[in-house]
Amino acid sequence: MKRQLVLVMLFSAISSIAFGQKAAFQSPNQKIVVELFNKQNNDIGEWYIKASYNNNGKITEAISGIDVGLSRSDQDFSKELKFLKAGKPVLINEEYTALHGKRAVCKNAANEVIFAFENPTKAKLNIIIRAYNDGIAFRYEFPDRQGSFVVKDELTAYSIPSQTTRWLEKWNPANEGLYTAMDTNKILSGEWGYPALFNTGNKDCWFLLHEADVDRNYCGTKLSNALDAGKYKLTFPDPKDGRGLGASTPAITLPWKSPWRVIIMGTLADIVASTLVNDVSAPSVIKNSSWIKPGIASWNYWSANHGTKDYKTVCDFADLAAQMNWPYTLLDWEWDAMGNGGKLEDAAKYIASKGIKPLIWYNSGGPHTYVSATPRDRMLTHENRVEEFTKLKKLGFAGVKVDFFESEKQDMIKYYLDILEDAAQFDMMVYFHGCIVPRGWERTYPNLMTHEAVRGAEWYNNTPDFTMPAPGHNATLPFTRNVVGPMDYTPVTFTNSQYPHVTSYGHELALSVLFESGIQHMADRPEGYYELPDAAKTFLKNVPNAWDDTRLLDGYPGKEVIMARRKGNDWYLGGINGEQREKTKTVKFDFLPDGVKYKLTLIADGKHDKAFATQYLVVDKSSALDVKLLRRGGFAASLMPI
C-alpha cells in the first residue's frame, strides 16, 4: 500500500508540472523512470512513452519518445486516443527456476500500471507498462470480448537521440549478420533485426531493444529507421519472406494482448546479466521436465560437411563425446543417406553403446523454403511429427534440430510453437536453426534448448569474409545476441574449417564460457580436442553449459569481454580480445564470497596464438591478477573452492 501511495503521489506531482505529461512511475529500485505524454498536451490525441535512467542520482533520458498505437483493419487506435484512466500500480514480484540459461533462479520485480484509452468510436485500448529493476516492458491489449480483425500496422517507434552510440544487425531472415557500430557521424538507415544495443551520449546508460512472449496471436517484428534515421519503428515481416507464403499482417481475435516490447536498461553489466526477456514470458507449460537435460554435443558438420553420410565419421564423433564427457552427439543433414558400414539404426546403437544420446537434424520442409535437403517434410504437420517422434524415441534420440524457417510471419510462429508442443509430448528437446532470435520461449517451453540465429563458426565453412571480422564479432555477441537467449554459435575450434580463423587458442577456449547455449555444439574435429594440452582438455571435459549465475567483469562491444559464470560453488571465467593489438587486463575477484579461498586454474594465451600458458594459483575476494591477451586472444579459468 505504501508503494502504491508513493506512485500515485508521483503521478499527481509530476503530471501537474510536466508539459503534456499524464503519468510517471518508477521501478521498485527507483532506477528506471517511465513517463506517459500526450503530443497535443491534451486528453485526446497521440501518445508516447519516455524512458529515463537514474544512475546514482544522475537522471539520463535514454529514449526521448516511444510512439504507441495500432492500426486495425476496422479502425485506428493511434491518432485520436482519449485517455480514460491509469489503474492502480501493482507490484510484480516473481521468482522462477530456469533449467538452462544464464541464471538458475530468476527474480524479477516491477511496478505495473494499466493505462486505459478509447478511440472516437469508444472502442477500448489498454497499454500495460511495467518498470522493472533492469528495464521496461509494455504491451497492448484490446479488452473487448469479441471480434476478429487484422492488425494493419503497429505504430510503436523508438526515438533515439543522435548522440547515442548503437550496435545493430541488418535484417535478414536467418538473423546471421554482423553487427554494425554507429555513432553520431555514422547513423545508417534501413531495416534492423533484434536485439539492438544503444549507449547514451553521456555514456551513463545502456539499453537493448527487443520483444518477448510472441505467441500464435501475432508475428515477429523488426526495427526500421528507413523513413527517419532517428526513429526505429516496429515493422511486420516482409511479404516476400518464406517464399512469399503466409500473411505478413497478423490476424487477431479479441480479447487480445500483443507481445511485450522490451527495453533492458542500466549499466552494461545489467544488460549482460538480465533475464528480462524470459521474465515477461509465459511460465512453463511442461509439468514434468526431468527429461530436459542441458549439455555439450559433438558435431561433425564444421569439419566434415557431409560427415553424417559416413557411418564411421558418426562413430568417431560419438567416441569424441564419450572421451570428453559430453552427453550428446548430433547427426546433421544427410543421415538418411548414411553408408560406409552402417545406417541410422546402426549409428543409434553405436552411440548408445558409448553412453551418449544422439540428436538429429531435419529440414523444416514446407513450401516456405527452397532448400531441398532431406529429410524434408517430417516436421511439417502434427501427424508427421507424431510419427517421426515415435520412431526417434524408440531409437533413443534425445532431441531434434529443425532448420530453414526463413520467415517470422504469424503462420511460422505457429509452426515453431507446434513443433515445441509436439516434441514435449515425446520428451524431445528442440534446437531451431536458420531461425528466429529467441523471444522468451525457453521459459514457456524449456525443451527449447537453443537457437542458431547468429553468424557463428559455421560461416568459416561458407565464406572467407568471416575470418577477419570474427574476433570483434565474438566480442560483440555477449552484449547483444546472447543477452536475449541461448545462442548456438558452434564454438571452440582449434583446427581450421574450409576457411581459416585468426582467433587464438585462448580465445577459442574462452568461448565455452562466454557463449551460452542449452546444448552447446562443440564444432572441431576429434583431433582438435585430443591434441590439446591436458589443462585445456580437462577444462572442456568439465565446463558446464547451464549456469546458476552470470556476471560481466569487464568489456566493451567489439573490443573485449570478460565474464564470470557460476555453477554450484564453482566459478568459470572467459575473456577475449576482439582487437588487433595485445593488451593486459586486470581481473578482479571481488565477485567471490567472503572468507572462501579458491584454486584458480588459468589457461591464457602463450607465446603465440596456438600456445597456452597455464597457471595454478590460490585467490580470494581481495585478489587481482593481470592477464596478457594476444591480439585476437583470450583466456579461460576455473575457480574451485578450497
Side-chain angles (χ1 to χ4, degrees):
M1 179 62 73
K2 182 178 180 181
R3 184 184 304 277
Q4 291 188 1
L5 179 61
V6 169
L7 291 173
V8 170
M9 291 173 65
L10 186 63
F11 282 170
S12 301
I14 297 182
S15 63
S16 65
I17 59 174
F19 184 79
Q21 188 185 64
K22 286 297 173 186
F25 65 105
Q26 298 174 319
S27 59
N29 65 4
Q30 300 184 348
K31 287 188 175 182
I32 309 294
V33 180
V34 181
E35 300 167 85
L36 178 68
F37 287 86
N38 178 267
K39 290 184 179 180
Q40 289 76 32
N41 192 25
N42 204 331
D43 285 339
I44 300 175
E46 298 171 281
W47 298 84
Y48 67 96
I49 300 165
K50 184 180 290 187
S52 302
Y53 175 64
N54 185 341
N55 186 3
N56 296 319
K58 185 178 180 181
I59 304 296
T60 297
E61 185 180 278
I63 307 178
S64 57
I66 307 169
D67 295 343
V68 295
L70 296 162
S71 174
R72 216 167 65 183
S73 53
D74 61 326
Q75 53 191 308
D76 180 76
F77 292 84
S78 64
K79 294 178 181 174
E80 297 183 73
L81 281 179
K82 180 180 180 181
F83 179 81
L84 299 179
K85 64 176 181 178
K88 290 184 178 180
V90 174
L91 176 64
I92 307 296
N93 191 6
E94 185 183 22
E95 180 175 304
Y96 65 93
T97 300
L99 297 181
H100 54 90
K102 64 181 78 171
R103 185 169 298 105
V105 178
C106 301
K107 300 178 181 179
N108 60 90
N111 289 313
E112 178 185 277
V113 179
I114 300 177
F115 298 96
F117 300 88
E118 67 179 16
N119 71 2
T121 71
K122 301 203 179 295
K124 302 296 189 290
L125 172 71
N126 293 337
I127 301 178
I128 304 167
I129 308 179
R130 292 180 179 178
Y132 280 86
N133 286 341
D134 57 349
I136 295 165
F138 67 95
R139 74 193 315 178
Y140 302 101
E141 178 184 35
F142 289 129
D144 291 338
R145 308 306 298 178
Q146 60 183 0
S148 295
F149 309 97
V150 170
V151 178
K152 294 166 57 180
D153 195 11
E154 180 173 333
L155 287 305
T156 304
Y158 302 92
S159 294
I160 308 297
S162 62
Q163 63 269 30
T164 304
T165 309
R166 57 206 76 194
W167 289 261
L168 297 109
E169 177 189 339
K170 279 285 188 183
W171 162 252
N172 63 95
N175 295 286
E176 293 181 36
L178 296 170
Y179 273 82
T180 300
M182 292 172 260
D183 59 22
T184 304
N185 300 317
K186 181 189 172 186
I187 299 177
L188 303 178
S189 298
E191 291 188 334
W192 309 96
Y194 290 118
L197 178 67
F198 300 83
N199 185 205
T200 55
N202 63 6
K203 310 304 178 187
D204 283 347
C205 176
W206 294 80
F207 59 96
L208 191 82
L209 302 183
H210 197 47
E211 65 180 6
D213 206 27
V214 181
D215 61 18
R216 293 178 174 86
N217 298 309
Y218 216 60
C219 58
T221 69
K222 56 185 181 294
L223 299 168
S224 175
N225 68 338
L227 297 179
D228 180 348
K231 182 174 288 191
Y232 294 87
K233 181 187 176 300
L234 266 65
T235 60
F236 293 148
D238 295 334
K240 65 178 181 294
D241 290 348
R243 295 183 64 187
L245 299 176
S248 59
T249 51
I252 64 171
T253 299
L254 305 191
W256 169 87
K257 291 179 181 178
S258 75
W260 288 100
R261 308 300 166 215
V262 174
I263 310 161
I264 302 172
M265 184 178 293
T267 66
L268 197 52
D270 293 331
I271 302 290
V272 170
S274 177
T275 57
L276 187 54
V277 172
N278 282 355
D279 295 345
V280 299
S281 296
S284 175
V285 297
I286 298 176
K287 293 182 179 179
N288 175 18
S289 59
S290 60
W291 52 274
I292 302 172
K293 298 185 182 300
I296 295 176
S298 62
W299 182 56
N300 66 44
Y301 175 89
W302 185 85
S303 57
N305 184 267
H306 300 281
T308 309
K309 288 179 71 173
D310 190 313
Y311 172 73
K312 288 185 171 56
T313 298
V314 170
C315 293
D316 288 344
F317 277 81
D319 293 342
L320 170 64
Q323 291 202 35
M324 295 298 291
N325 297 330
W326 299 338
Y328 303 111
T329 189
L330 174 66
L331 279 60
D332 216 288
W333 75 315
E334 299 181 318
W335 57 261
D336 53 338
M338 193 183 302
N340 194 24
K343 298 291 185 182
L344 177 67
E345 293 76 11
D346 304 305
K349 289 178 183 177
Y350 184 85
I351 293 166
S353 76
K354 297 294 179 177
I356 305 301
K357 289 281 190 181
L359 311 167
I360 192 166
W361 177 95
Y362 287 87
N363 189 335
S364 63
H368 58 273
T369 175
Y370 284 105
V371 180
S372 60
T374 60
R376 183 179 156 78
D377 58 358
R378 302 186 195 181
M379 291 290 116
L380 196 55
T381 68
H382 171 71
E383 291 74 21
N384 292 152
R385 293 188 291 272
V386 167
E387 180 180 359
E388 201 67 14
F389 290 147
T390 300
K391 293 177 184 176
L392 292 177
K393 191 165 186 178
K394 289 180 180 177
L395 289 171
F397 281 83
V400 295
K401 171 183 176 180
V402 189
D403 207 345
F404 303 123
F405 290 90
E406 302 183 22
S407 166
E408 297 181 7
K409 296 174 182 175
Q410 187 176 21
D411 63 337
M412 197 58 61
I413 300 298
K414 292 177 181 177
Y415 186 26
Y416 280 114
L417 300 181
D418 288 346
I419 290 173
L420 290 171
E421 290 187 353
D422 285 344
Q425 298 304 310
F426 291 85
D427 296 353
M428 286 284 161
M429 297 181 291
V430 177
Y431 162 23
F432 289 135
H433 196 81
C435 62
I436 194 170
V437 168
R439 297 303 207 273
W441 296 340
E442 297 77 26
R443 182 181 179 190
T444 313
Y445 303 96
N447 61 321
L448 175 55
M449 308 305 290
T450 191
H451 305 236
E452 186 192 25
V454 65
R455 179 161 293 207
E458 182 183 281
W459 277 83
Y460 290 117
N461 243 325
N462 299 343
T463 171
D465 298 339
F466 187 53
T467 295
M468 295 311 296
H473 178 63
N474 295 348
T476 302
L477 294 174
F479 305 108
T480 52
R481 164 63 181 85
N482 214 180
V483 170
V484 302
M487 176 185 78
D488 199 48
Y489 177 101
T490 60
V492 190
T493 58
F494 304 100
T495 66
N496 283 326
S497 183
Q498 182 173 349
Y499 301 100
H501 57 77
V502 294
T503 49
S504 77
Y505 276 23
H507 184 118
E508 289 295 319
L509 188 66
L511 300 184
S512 65
V513 177
L514 289 181
F515 292 167
E516 182 270 309
S517 179
I519 293 179
Q520 188 77 280
H521 293 82
M522 298 297 189
D524 209 345
R525 48 182 55 83
E527 55 267 34
Y529 301 112
Y530 295 154
E531 295 172 5
L532 289 173
D534 287 343
K537 191 186 303 180
T538 300
F539 186 90
L540 288 176
K541 287 181 178 181
N542 296 321
V543 65
N545 75 308
W547 303 98
D548 294 332
D549 197 6
T550 294
R551 309 276 182 91
L552 175 69
L553 304 185
D554 194 5
Y556 189 87
K559 294 184 178 181
E560 72 258 345
V561 55
I562 302 174
M563 289 174 63
R565 297 189 192 265
R566 179 177 62 83
K567 184 69 173 180
N569 294 319
D570 303 333
W571 285 89
Y572 292 80
L573 274 63
I576 59 172
N577 181 4
E579 296 188 296
Q580 307 292 328
R581 61 181 179 89
E582 292 187 2
K583 58 182 72 171
T584 298
K585 301 298 295 185
T586 300
V587 180
K588 296 180 179 179
F589 296 92
D590 52 3
F591 58 90
L592 295 174
D594 292 325
V596 182
K597 293 186 179 296
Y598 285 79
K599 178 184 177 182
L600 168 71
T601 302
L602 173 67
I603 310 169
D605 288 324
K607 292 183 178 180
H608 56 80
D609 62 0
K610 292 181 172 58
F612 291 109
T614 302
Q615 298 183 62
Y616 302 94
L617 301 167
V618 174
V619 299
D620 60 19
K621 186 181 180 71
S622 65
S623 301
L625 183 65
D626 288 341
V627 182
K628 180 181 177 181
L629 287 78
L630 295 177
R631 58 178 185 167
R632 309 181 299 266
F635 72 91
S638 62
L639 292 132
M640 309 295 175
I642 298 174

